[in-house]
Amino acid sequence: MVKFVRKRNGRLVEFDRERIRTAIEKAFRAVGVKGDVEKLVNSVLWYIGRRFGDDGVPTVEEIQDIVEKVLMKHGYYEVARAYILYREQRHTMRKL
């Protein structure tokens, strides 16, 4: 599993699976839907491992893209939409 993530400012930080869990949980709460968050987190981790291996360093955006795809793959389209909208709002805020 990857050990580091490249933040938007270029800094490397330790990979933390709990950040993925938290993001997915927040998206579920935003639309009032329940789901198997652990299954989704494990699926995201599998895709990250497959794409980046043990030594790769994904960016925050690449991980977020994978989260979106996993949510949609598992049929959570409204949750994915909430997640995408949240990402867009954060992007807009960062630009300001």
Side-chain angles (χ1 to χ4, degrees), residues 66-84:
I66 291 171
V67 170
E68 285 178 18
K69 289 176 186 171
V70 166
L71 288 170
M72 288 187 279
K73 182 180 189 305
H74 288 270
Y76 292 107
Y77 301 109
E78 285 205 35
V79 177
R81 183 171 186 247
Y83 185 81
I84 292 164

Side-chain angles (χ1 to χ4, degrees), residues 1-2 10 17 27 30 42 45 48-49 52 59-60 62 64-65 67 71 73-74 78 88 93 95:
M1 177 50 60
V2 298
R17 80 187 302 275
N42 287 334
L45 295 175
I48 291 170
F52 297 98
T59 65
V60 169
E62 289 170 325
Q64 290 175 333
D65 290 345
V67 170
L71 288 170
K73 182 180 189 305
H74 288 270
E78 285 205 35
E88 184 57 34
M93 293 300 292
K95 283 175 37 176

Side-chain angles (χ1 to χ4, degrees), residues 14-46:
E14 251 183 78
F15 178 80
D16 181 2
R17 80 187 302 275
E18 290 306 308
R19 293 184 67 108
I20 295 168
R21 168 186 285 292
T22 300
I24 293 172
E25 286 173 342
K26 285 180 179 180
F28 270 89
R29 277 197 304 270
V31 294
V33 174
K34 294 190 187 273
D36 188 348
V37 173
E38 187 62 28
K39 179 179 177 180
L40 296 169
V41 170
N42 287 334
S43 185
V44 169
L45 295 175
W46 182 84

Side-chain angles (χ1 to χ4, degrees), residues 1-4 15 48-58:
M1 177 50 60
V2 298
K3 295 170 186 69
F4 296 98
F15 178 80
I48 291 170
R50 185 169 181 234
R51 181 167 173 193
F52 297 98
D54 290 338
D55 298 321
V57 180

